[in-house]
Amino acid sequence: MAEVSGMFTVQQTIGSVLCCKCGISMQPNAANMCAKCLRSEVDITEGLQKHVVIVHCPECDSYLQPPKSWIKAQLESKELLTFCIKRLKNLNKVKLVHAEFIWTEPHSKRIKVRLKVQKEVLNGAVLEQSYIVEYVVQDQMCELCSKLQVNPDQWVAAVQLRQHVSHRRTFFYLEQLILKHDAANRAIKIQQLDQGIDFFFGHRSHALKFVDFVSRVVLVRTRNDKQLVSHDHKSNTVSYKYTFSVEISPVCREDLICLPPKVAASLGNIGPLVICTKVSNSIALLDPFTLRHCYLDADQYWRASFKPLLSSRQLVEYVVLDVDVVSEEVSIGGYVLADIQVARVSDFGKNDTIFSIRTHLGHLLESGDYALGYDLYGTNSNDSELEKYKGLVLPEVILIKKSYEEKRQKKHGKRRSWKLKSLNKEVDNSGKGRDQEQKMNSEYEEFLRDLEENPDLRFNVSLYRDKEYQRSETTSVADGEDVPSIPLDELLADVDLSDIRAEEDD
């Protein structure tokens, strides 16, 4: 405004004064003392706690939050820093500006935290000061670990996860979800069985919380039961053991399904032959001939449950001979309709049988590619739901996904640059032979390939860099060309605090 009117303005400058104690030149403040002299006169940390005793359970790595609750936290974690700050008394008399850990030896039973606080002192001057709080760690087992120490099998609630299918793909995926969300951190013991996994908990509430988590990530139905353990007539106290049976839907991703007539009618007469494209707390179904899709939630599915017509273990490899895109219109998921010609890989050199089919994989397949699909031409199916559709003409082949098996043969035996973590579980090997072990390893390898091929599938999975992976200098760029892989920016660093300290010492 002054520039517009042409008025002359004087620039304001901040003068300097002399400290009333040491006489050093400084900017003026309310106390007319420099920061060094002000700290010598006033100690804003006086009366604040600098030594605190905390109780730690070495078995479950948790800390006692008085009076009875226990908080699980790792060393130098955000949770532990918050816990340490909350244990300090009279901290509300100052303003906390910054807090950080000072490294101590893990076996020293000491945790040191540097705090930076501010407080208004003489004549309104604000003073900032740092000080160190030392926490003395005393080991004491929590109530649950004490019971387990006496009797390791003393569980209160058990959750039995079951899925009646011939593979464990769902459990591999569910295990990664449990690890990412730390859903089984309260489990006393985890036991792997043939058709499922059992989780044992010390409290019924922990089991209920775990069941709630599972029901939010996969399609399940549950029932529970309880068994009387003891009854004290004098004090009228009763002890029970609770069992939660959780049945996971047998429908898995990439399964071929023949919908019951009532279900198909309720979904707008879709199908009846559909493909399951995604399984969470609902099932995503796709009609591969029209690109129509729909979703089934838990209530809709269990009201009229059905089983898959064919599962992923019955996939057959085909070679694509010709591709003719029907429509460029893209549906949800990026699918494109196309008329293609395929032949079974196993027929090469035996016959010249060629199948002309329609598929939803027009966006992926080109002439010369390989694909996996269901061979309805050579399959004798006795599905009860299929017999309800009179006059239904079955297609000869239904393709499910593109195959990279031939290209993967070039990378056979090479180590992946990433890895997955697994639950600390006991495996029941009774009655298992070498064939069962090989089957388990092959199913796990298929799960790893699914993660590489499907970005949506690995969205909820934590992938870690493999420290032992080393790229060979002799590896050709063409090796494994066009084979799906996981970008490095999707991998997490598997941090080990001991490794970090060793690097700092070097």
Side-chain angles (χ1 to χ4, degrees):
M1 189 69 181
E3 293 178 358
V4 176
S5 60
M7 295 177 61
F8 176 74
T9 57
V10 179
Q11 294 184 356
Q12 295 184 355
T13 58
I14 301 176
S16 60
V17 298
L18 300 179
C19 175
C20 64
K21 292 201 68 177
C22 64
I24 191 174
S25 179
M26 65 169 200
Q27 291 186 358
N29 57 37
N32 282 335
M33 279 193 290
C34 64
K36 187 175 181 181
C37 295
L38 196 56
R39 289 194 185 97
S40 65
E41 290 288 328
V42 181
D43 183 12
I44 63 174
T45 65
E46 186 179 359
L48 300 180
Q49 280 184 296
K50 298 188 176 60
H51 296 276
V52 183
V53 177
I54 57 177
V55 179
H56 171 252
C57 177
E59 294 293 326
C60 61
D61 205 16
S62 57
Y63 295 85
L64 176 62
Q65 177 71 49
K68 291 184 178 181
S69 61
W70 291 81
I71 298 174
K72 197 167 186 177
Q74 300 292 331
L75 282 176
E76 298 195 8
S77 64
K78 188 187 301 181
E79 294 79 10
L80 182 58
L81 185 60
T82 304
F83 167 77
C84 290
I85 294 174
K86 288 184 177 179
R87 289 301 314 275
L88 297 176
K89 299 178 181 178
N90 301 328
L91 196 60
N92 57 350
K93 294 182 178 180
V94 294
K95 179 182 178 182
L96 180 63
V97 179
H98 181 70
E100 62 180 358
F101 284 107
I102 299 176
W103 184 78
T104 56
E105 291 288 346
H107 61 270
S108 65
K109 301 299 180 184
R110 298 290 188 275
I111 297 175
K112 293 185 178 181
V113 179
R114 180 184 286 113
L115 301 178
K116 186 181 290 184
V117 295
Q118 289 181 349
K119 185 178 180 181
E120 187 176 325
V121 290
L122 302 175
N123 300 325
V126 177
L127 182 63
E128 184 175 284
Q129 190 172 344
S130 298
Y131 71 105
I132 296 175
V133 181
E134 184 180 71
Y135 296 84
V136 179
V137 181
Q138 291 185 352
D139 285 343
Q140 176 185 324
M141 284 195 293
C142 61
E143 182 182 356
L144 181 58
C145 293
S146 299
K147 291 180 180 179
L148 292 176
Q149 195 74 10
V150 178
N151 184 5
D153 296 326
Q154 192 173 359
W155 53 271
V156 174
V159 179
Q160 300 173 341
L161 293 182
R162 297 292 184 270
Q163 186 183 34
H164 302 294
V165 293
S166 59
H167 57 81
R168 297 186 64 86
R169 295 173 62 192
T170 303
F171 288 106
F172 291 142
Y173 179 63
L174 183 59
E175 180 179 2
Q176 296 305 314
L177 293 179
I178 293 171
L179 283 169
K180 181 170 183 177
H181 298 279
D182 205 14
N185 60 338
R186 296 287 188 177
I188 297 172
K189 183 176 70 171
I190 304 174
Q191 187 173 13
Q192 178 178 307
L193 305 174
D194 271 345
Q195 288 191 326
I197 305 178
D198 288 350
F199 295 82
F200 299 92
F201 298 89
H203 294 281
R204 180 173 176 267
S205 59
H206 298 162
L208 285 172
K209 186 177 180 181
F210 180 74
V211 171
D212 180 61
F213 169 79
V214 174
S215 63
R216 283 187 277 112
V217 295
V218 289
L219 199 67
V220 300
R221 64 177 174 183
T222 62
R223 65 182 183 87
N224 58 80
D225 197 3
K226 62 181 180 179
Q227 180 182 2
L228 180 65
V229 177
S230 63
H231 183 195
D232 189 348
H233 295 278
K234 294 182 178 180
S235 59
N236 198 26
T237 56
V238 182
S239 297
Y240 290 100
K241 278 193 174 183
Y242 301 88
T243 303
F244 298 88
S245 178
V246 181
E247 181 184 355
I248 303 175
S249 164
V251 177
C252 300
R253 195 175 57 86
E254 299 176 353
D255 284 354
L256 179 64
I257 301 166
C258 179
L259 293 174
K262 291 184 178 179
V263 176
S266 65
L267 297 175
N269 291 321
I270 191 174
L273 291 179
V274 293
I275 299 172
C276 177
T277 57
K278 185 179 180 181
V279 176
S280 57
N281 55 354
S282 62
I283 300 176
L285 303 175
L286 172 73
D287 188 336
F289 311 110
T290 62
L291 299 186
R292 293 178 60 193
H293 64 277
C294 62
Y295 296 89
L296 275 177
D297 58 22
D299 292 337
Q300 290 174 307
Y301 174 79
W302 293 112
R303 195 180 303 124
S305 60
F306 49 84
K307 295 182 178 180
L309 180 64
L310 295 171
S311 66
S312 58
R313 294 184 62 85
Q314 298 163 288
L315 288 171
V316 178
E317 191 172 21
Y318 293 84
V319 61
V320 180
L321 304 176
D322 186 32
V323 178
D324 182 18
V325 176
V326 175
S327 173
E328 296 293 342
E329 183 180 353
V330 179
S331 76
I332 294 178
Y335 302 112
V336 174
L337 278 180
D339 290 328
I340 68 173
Q341 290 184 337
V342 296
R344 283 184 294 229
V345 174
S346 59
D347 287 345
F348 282 178
K350 298 179 180 178
N351 57 60
D352 55 355
T353 305
I354 297 175
F355 304 102
S356 298
I357 60 171
R358 176 162 289 190
T359 181
H360 61 295
L361 302 178
H363 63 297
L364 281 179
L365 300 179
E366 297 178 356
S367 298
D369 287 343
Y370 290 83
L372 294 173
Y374 294 112
D375 182 13
L376 299 182
Y377 177 78
T379 301
N380 184 16
S381 58
N382 296 319
D383 188 71
S384 59
E385 301 298 339
L386 197 60
E387 295 175 355
K388 296 179 182 178
Y389 292 94
K390 296 181 180 180
L392 177 64
V393 179
L394 294 178
E396 296 171 324
V397 178
I398 296 181
L399 296 183
I400 300 299
K401 63 180 180 179
K402 187 175 180 179
S403 175
Y404 301 92
E405 187 61 31
E406 184 184 14
K407 297 177 180 178
R408 278 198 173 98
Q409 293 299 325
K410 300 178 182 179
K411 300 178 67 176
H412 180 69
K414 294 182 180 178
R415 193 184 187 97
R416 288 182 170 88
S417 61
W418 55 277
K419 63 180 181 178
L420 297 174
K421 292 186 177 181
S422 59
L423 290 171
N424 183 20
K425 53 183 181 290
E426 300 176 2
V427 182
D428 183 13
N429 293 320
S430 59
K432 284 189 177 181
R434 188 174 180 180
D435 293 340
Q436 289 290 335
E437 185 178 352
Q438 290 179 349
K439 176 188 173 185
M440 180 78 72
N441 293 335
S442 64
E443 289 176 352
Y444 188 70
E445 176 64 24
E446 290 177 8
F447 172 68
L448 298 181
R449 293 179 180 181
D450 288 341
L451 290 178
E452 292 175 334
E453 296 175 11
N454 194 336
D456 293 336
L457 185 64
R458 63 177 182 259
F459 179 77
N460 291 320
V461 176
S462 296
L463 307 169
Y464 298 90
R465 296 178 185 175
D466 190 352
K467 297 178 183 178
E468 299 179 3
Y469 170 78
Q470 292 181 351
R471 184 178 179 84
S472 175
E473 296 179 358
T474 60
T475 302
S476 171
V477 178
D479 286 355
E481 185 179 5
D482 297 332
V483 176
S485 59
I486 298 178
L488 288 176
D489 56 359
E490 292 188 23
L491 303 182
L492 302 174
D494 191 6
V495 179
D496 189 349
L497 291 178
S498 60
D499 293 344
I500 295 175
R501 301 305 174 194
E503 291 177 3
E504 291 178 352
D505 294 340
D506 294 340

